[in-house]
Amino acid sequence: MTVLLEARNVTKVFSSGGLFKRKETVALENVSLSIKESSPSITGVVGETGSGKTTLARLLLGFIAPTEGKVLYKGGDLKRLSRDERLEFQREVQVIFQDPFEVYNPFYKVDHVLTTPVAKFHLARSKTQGRKLIEHALQAIGLQPEETLGRYPHQLSGGQRQRIMVARASLLKPRIILADEPVSMVDASLRATILENLRKLNQKFGISLLYITHDLTTAYQISDNIIVLYQGSVVEVGDIELVIKNPQHPYTQLLVASIPVPDPDQRWGQDSTPVLVSKTSAKVNWGCKFVGRCPFGMPICGKDPPPLFQTDGYRAVRCYLYKDASVIAGNAIGKDVGPKR
Amino acid sequence: MKADILQVRNLRVYYQTSLGPLKAVDGVTLSLKPGERFGLVGESGSGKSTLALALMRLTKPPGYIEGGQVLLDGLDLIKVSENEIRKVRLAQIALVPQGAMSSLNPVMRIKDQIIDGIKDHLKKMPGSALEERMHELLAKVELKPEMANMFPHELSGGMKQRVCLAIAISLSPKVIIADEPTSALDVVVQRQVMLTLGQVQESLGVSILLVGHDMGLMAQFVERIGVLYAGKLAEVGSVREVFKESLHPYTRLLIACPPSLEEKGQFKGIPGLPPLLLNPPSGCVFHPRCPQTTSRCSVKIPSLKEVYPGRWVACHLYTEVKR
């Protein structure tokens, strides 16, 4: 079984500040994940603002290099790909960004984002063939080519623009699409359509998806498995049904309990976790990162950082509450721990 | 029964465009009781933020208030002079803005930003009293006293939103307008901020108008809800009734929209697109997207009528209650 895209024990530290007041921010700490070639899946990556979700996406895309660890594409280190391999990587790993407004150049027609990849990767022999390819890609996600092509970005709605980005990503017949908060800036009614498009790409064209979001409900709707990040560490990972329906890490439990349910009879429970956590006091350099907010804190939590415990077949939790379970290595994520199918 | 603290009557807010006026808010009538939590929901472009700003007369050109009344405790805010409305804002009707990140001054300390508004309204208040008031406010929104000396960039998004909340309650207003106060925050922080807002609301007895698009949040927080579609109210009622038995077809679709953790399956969107307000459809503005449309809908504009006590709906499917 070959692995398409893999992050192996990746750590990313950003340093900022001047010569004397150097400040280091650990954005990601020892994170591993792998996307297998067989059985295309949808993996949700959730976490709050600043948990390292976008850093992970940028590392996997090769936009930034990890401080420690490696990002591998088909077994080859991203840093050492040859020219041809790099081109293949750029075609086969596509991305959809959060903001459907910023990705377009307002002076170009929207066709530009579709014709450029066709030309760059020599997808078509002639202009008419290229045009056909683009129209196919648009129709596949339910857009009318005559209503979208030839227009400027400001003439289209946010939802349409984001769907063109989905079409652009699928145009290249990629193996993997990284979607970084693809629906957080579009309306609830259009959100559904875009998520449906993404699911179709996965099921019909066998494209694996990494769905990065802070919205647990949509992650639950489309993902097969899930990775929960907290301050740069994986706190819980595994099969989506297990993690959402029966969350084990106190942070995941808090996340699930905080979703506002659209039912006036089902009120939010009283908050058992401390409301106020200043950024500085929450970030501890020893022990579990969540200990400052955790209602189940034990003496050991403040001393040693917990490893990942494999609590059931398809799930691992970074929490000492489950210390009786067997410890698994971080880089086993996605290999031993993952969806059933 | 207590008298309404805020009454909005046939409020119309238009935007001047080269193609004629765009009716962003088109004849909205609603009222808030003292201490009530009222929610206003709608898709983007439905006019909810325009309405929220117009209630404080903060509409900026090319927008303008075409007509109607906003009665705050009997005082028509649309008619009063610019000087008078300045005295009313913050002191009697306050706003918690959408993007807390961008509504605080980045080069001013938190304490100065909180004191700023109080000073402007109560010019004779001595410095020590101001300081004391500021600390009281910080405590009310559950911020630590040492945060008074910090700058906005040193605070997280949730904390910044709390600062905005502290500013909004600094003069104990009668009405707080919260325009999507948590849309930029993640669920955990959102819940904490909303719980604080609820506590503050209860302790001050202030009315809250919560503007937003998140039906889940509305169900959790408000008592009564108004559904805005294309600048018009489609339905008004108690939150339980509206959720359990929504009358307007649009409300029904809106409630079915958000994905839940219970069922996994088909995503439900609302078919079609929101109408172009420059050239709205004839008759009921929702009829091109409505699953229950009849021949009457494309001809006659439905008025908001009370179908039974406390339940208002603008739809031809329902007839007015006989009195």
Side-chain angles (χ1 to χ4, degrees):
Chain A
M1 184 164 51
T2 40
V3 174
L4 266 181
L5 187 61
E6 184 185 358
R8 202 179 281 169
N9 304 89
V10 165
T11 298
K12 180 70 193 174
V13 182
F14 290 107
S15 14
S16 60
L19 202 57
F20 301 107
K21 258 178 120 180
R22 210 132 182 88
K23 227 170 98 184
E24 293 205 326
T25 316
V26 182
L28 272 185
E29 197 178 330
N30 201 4
V31 170
S32 301
L33 75 100
S34 51
I35 297 169
K36 283 173 265 183
E37 188 155 21
S38 59
S39 69
S41 62
I42 304 182
T43 308
V45 178
V46 299
E48 58 188 6
T49 327
S51 59
K53 305 184 298 271
T54 299
T55 304
L56 179 64
R58 293 176 65 201
L59 280 166
L60 291 174
L61 289 164
F63 290 175
I64 49 174
T67 314
E68 276 166 50
K70 274 180 193 167
V71 181
L72 306 161
Y73 187 67
K74 290 185 178 166
D77 192 338
L78 270 198
K79 275 192 245 173
R80 294 192 178 74
L81 292 184
S82 71
R83 206 186 138 85
D84 286 350
E85 283 171 333
R86 176 150 280 275
L87 209 62
E88 187 190 341
F89 167 74
Q90 284 172 346
R91 188 177 70 77
E92 292 188 344
V93 181
Q94 286 300 315
V95 63
I96 297 164
F97 290 107
Q98 176 174 13
D99 193 335
F101 301 87
E102 277 184 353
V103 290
Y104 291 94
N105 184 334
F107 296 111
Y108 286 117
K109 289 177 182 167
V110 292
D111 308 30
H112 188 72
V113 298
L114 296 165
T115 49
T116 311
V118 171
K120 161 114 185 159
F121 292 102
H122 311 292
L123 297 181
R125 270 193 223 99
S126 66
K127 259 199 169 157
T128 32
Q129 202 192 349
R131 170 96 186 178
K132 235 179 217 148
L133 218 60
I134 289 169
E135 285 180 0
H136 265 295
L138 288 173
Q139 276 158 353
I141 54 153
L143 281 175
Q144 299 298 328
E146 54 270 26
E147 276 177 21
T148 41
L149 293 176
R151 301 213 178 184
Y152 286 95
H154 69 267
Q155 294 173 308
L156 300 173
S157 73
Q160 277 174 314
R161 273 182 276 193
Q162 194 63 306
R163 284 161 80 188
I164 292 176
M165 292 322 287
V166 178
R168 186 203 60 87
S170 66
L171 191 63
L172 294 161
K173 305 256 177 301
R175 309 293 300 270
I176 297 171
I177 293 178
L178 268 83
D180 188 0
E181 304 261 17
V183 293
S184 66
M185 292 187 70
V186 291
D187 250 312
S189 54
L190 281 163
R191 206 169 276 186
T193 326
I194 291 170
L195 290 173
E196 197 54 59
N197 290 155
L198 290 175
R199 184 150 66 186
K200 207 167 131 194
L201 288 181
N202 172 249
Q203 286 170 353
K204 246 178 125 178
F205 302 105
I207 300 168
S208 286
L209 275 160
L210 201 66
Y211 177 66
I212 298 172
T213 184
H214 67 263
D215 181 4
L216 269 183
T217 30
T218 55
Y220 172 70
Q221 291 290 327
I222 76 166
S223 310
D224 302 312
N225 49 359
I226 190 166
I227 295 172
V228 184
L229 289 177
Y230 182 72
Q231 292 190 357
S233 289
V234 176
V235 292
E236 187 156 354
V237 56
D239 182 78
I240 189 91
E241 293 287 338
L242 285 173
V243 174
I244 299 291
K245 288 286 156 95
N246 175 23
Q248 288 184 328
H249 194 283
Y251 177 64
T252 323
Q253 289 170 353
L254 177 66
L255 269 182
V256 174
S258 296
I259 298 169
V261 191
D263 181 352
D265 288 335
Q266 236 182 304
R267 291 271 166 176
W268 271 326
Q270 276 306 303
D271 212 348
S272 55
T273 45
V275 168
L276 259 182
V277 194
S278 73
K279 268 197 167 155
T280 37
S281 71
K283 210 146 205 166
V284 283
N285 291 324
W286 62 92
C288 172
K289 288 175 179 166
F290 192 61
V291 69
R293 297 169 76 179
C294 187
F296 310 104
M298 297 178 284
I300 190 173
C301 301
K303 283 183 208 139
D304 291 313
L308 277 173
F309 294 102
Q310 183 160 7
T311 52
D312 0 49
Y314 305 104
R315 184 223 311 248
V317 186
R318 193 181 294 282
C319 179
Y320 283 120
L321 287 176
Y322 309 97
K323 60 177 183 290
D324 298 335
S326 59
V327 175
I328 62 157
N331 57 14
I333 298 170
K335 284 179 190 150
D336 311 326
V337 187
K340 283 165 196 156
R341 64 189 185 98
Chain B
M1 210 166 97
K2 284 185 276 185
D4 296 336
I5 187 83
L6 182 76
Q7 280 187 308
V8 182
R9 287 189 193 149
N10 198 19
L11 184 66
R12 298 183 303 281
V13 189
Y14 295 176
Y15 285 93
Q16 191 65 57
T17 71
S18 54
L19 301 167
L22 183 149
K23 299 175 180 176
V25 174
D26 194 11
V28 167
T29 299
L30 56 88
S31 58
L32 251 78
K33 290 187 180 51
E36 189 182 33
R37 299 174 176 184
F38 188 90
L40 198 62
V41 284
E43 292 172 87
S44 22
S46 61
K48 50 189 193 307
S49 289
T50 305
L51 176 61
L53 289 178
L55 294 182
M56 298 191 70
R57 223 171 88 190
L58 286 169
T59 308
K60 284 187 200 134
Y64 60 95
I65 296 171
E66 167 71 22
Q69 287 182 307
V70 177
L71 298 170
L72 181 70
D73 221 1
L75 178 74
D76 189 349
L77 300 184
I78 306 297
K79 283 217 187 86
V80 297
S81 70
E82 193 58 37
N83 251 336
E84 268 173 278
I85 188 100
R86 272 191 70 103
K87 284 185 200 144
V88 173
R89 282 183 203 138
L90 193 66
Q92 298 197 39
I93 182 164
L95 178 77
V96 181
Q98 184 163 11
M101 331 282 155
S102 47
S103 49
L104 293 173
N105 185 338
V107 294
M108 242 171 118
R109 290 183 196 278
I110 298 302
K111 62 173 181 194
D112 297 329
Q113 308 207 29
I114 295 178
I115 289 173
D116 202 27
I118 310 174
K119 248 184 4 205
D120 198 61
H121 283 266
L122 306 168
K123 294 210 167 61
K124 292 200 182 104
M125 202 168 185
S128 57
L130 279 174
E131 190 93 351
E132 201 180 310
R133 180 73 152 273
M134 187 264 303
H135 279 291
E136 266 170 43
L137 290 168
L138 281 182
K140 262 207 180 106
V141 296
E142 296 170 44
L143 286 174
K144 291 179 190 150
E146 59 261 34
M147 283 171 188
N149 282 318
M150 290 186 176
F151 287 101
H153 73 265
E154 294 174 89
L155 304 180
S156 70
M159 290 185 221
K160 275 186 254 189
Q161 199 53 272
R162 281 165 202 277
V163 173
C164 289
L165 188 57
I167 295 174
I169 60 168
S170 59
L171 293 166
S172 313
K174 292 170 187 155
V175 177
I176 293 177
I177 296 168
D179 186 4
E180 307 215 26
T182 56
S183 63
L185 308 172
D186 60 79
V187 282
V188 177
V189 183
Q190 163 175 291
R191 174 173 164 209
Q192 292 163 349
V193 170
M194 290 315 286
L195 287 173
T196 309
L197 184 61
Q199 283 160 13
V200 167
Q201 185 262 344
E202 273 162 25
S203 71
L204 294 177
V206 51
S207 315
I208 290 187
L209 182 77
L210 179 69
V211 179
H213 64 262
D214 186 340
M215 292 304 271
L217 192 60
M218 289 292 166
Q220 295 296 327
F221 191 76
V222 301
E223 293 154 4
R224 273 200 313 141
I225 192 166
V227 180
L228 204 62
Y229 184 77
K232 288 188 169 80
L233 278 171
E235 183 163 0
V236 180
S238 84
V239 74
R240 178 161 283 109
E241 286 174 342
V242 170
F243 271 84
K244 294 287 170 199
E245 193 202 347
S246 25
L247 298 176
H248 200 285
Y250 176 64
T251 318
R252 245 174 265 153
L253 288 168
L254 205 60
I255 290 169
C257 242
S260 73
L261 289 184
E262 259 113 68
E263 340 159 42
K264 207 166 171 174
Q266 281 293 311
F267 291 105
K268 293 171 219 132
I270 301 178
L273 289 170
L276 298 167
L277 292 172
L278 262 178
N279 187 14
S282 62
C284 171
V285 272
F286 187 60
H287 90 261
R289 299 170 79 183
C290 185
Q292 286 167 278
T293 180
T294 61
S295 57
R296 230 176 127 195
C297 299
S298 56
V299 188
K300 197 169 180 291
I301 297 176
S303 60
L304 191 67
K305 48 195 176 259
E306 193 169 21
V307 290
Y308 49 89
R311 282 304 291 284
W312 296 74
V313 63
C315 181
H316 289 310
L317 293 173
Y318 305 95
T319 48
E320 200 159 353
V321 68
K322 297 262 188 316
R323 291 193 183 237

